[in-house]
Amino acid sequence: CMKKFFDIKIENEENGITIKVPQSVEDFYDAGAELKHCIYTNEYYDRKNSLLLFTYKEGRIVETTEVNIKTKEILQSRGMKNKDTKYKGFVMQTIQQNILPLIR
């Protein structure tokens, strides 16, 4: 389901943030291990109608975001141990303005 979105990537050089679609199940494993999330163990990579986006700050993952591709709604966006990050507002706005319009 997510393969058609693999080329989505937003980079903001000003704040060092990159938002992109994970490319493999290993990406989910790494994100889960780094952020202490259940994103891998709960098989988010296999969810129907979900698009996952990973946010990186200077190359390190800082946040994961789940979007419903049917409703174009952001379902959740979480950082370390499922807490909000200081980037959440920027991430949500960037996804709403730049990524949701690409979902068809």
Side-chain angles (χ1 to χ4, degrees), residues 13 17 23 30 46 51 61 65 74 82 84 86 88 96 99:
E13 290 180 19
I17 287 184
Q23 304 292 300
D30 292 344
D46 204 28
L51 172 64
I61 189 159
T65 305
I74 296 173
N82 290 318
D84 287 348
K86 64 182 178 180
K88 185 172 183 166
Q96 288 172 335
I99 296 174

Side-chain angles (χ1 to χ4, degrees), residues 34-57:
E34 180 73 22
L35 297 176
K36 313 289 190 251
H37 281 198
C38 64
I39 198 165
Y40 174 76
T41 56
N42 285 359
E43 300 178 355
Y44 275 71
Y45 52 83
D46 204 28
R47 285 196 170 184
K48 302 283 184 247
N49 300 316
S50 280
L51 172 64
L52 276 293
L53 299 153
F54 289 4
T55 299
Y56 296 84
K57 170 75 171 167

Side-chain angles (χ1 to χ4, degrees), residues 8 32 52 70 76 83 93:
I8 292 176
L52 276 293
K70 294 288 187 205
Q76 58 180 329
K83 304 262 191 274
Q93 182 178 12

Side-chain angles (χ1 to χ4, degrees), residues 6-81:
F6 274 3
D7 61 340
I8 292 176
K9 183 177 182 179
I10 305 291
E11 294 181 277
N12 184 300
E13 290 180 19
E14 191 175 306
N15 62 15
I17 287 184
T18 300
I19 301 170
K20 63 183 183 176
V21 175
Q23 304 292 300
S24 67
V25 173
E26 184 177 80
D27 289 343
F28 283 83
Y29 178 83
D30 292 344
E34 180 73 22
L35 297 176
K36 313 289 190 251
H37 281 198
C38 64
I39 198 165
Y40 174 76
T41 56
N42 285 359
E43 300 178 355
Y44 275 71
Y45 52 83
D46 204 28
R47 285 196 170 184
K48 302 283 184 247
N49 300 316
S50 280
L51 172 64
L52 276 293
L53 299 153
F54 289 4
T55 299
Y56 296 84
K57 170 75 171 167
E58 299 168 350
R60 290 193 57 142
I61 189 159
V62 294
E63 192 161 337
T64 61
T65 305
E66 180 183 15
V67 174
N68 181 303
I69 57 176
K70 294 288 187 205
T71 64
K72 296 185 182 183
E73 178 185 6
I74 296 173
L75 302 176
Q76 58 180 329
S77 195
R78 306 274 190 254
M80 178 65 78
K81 296 183 181 177

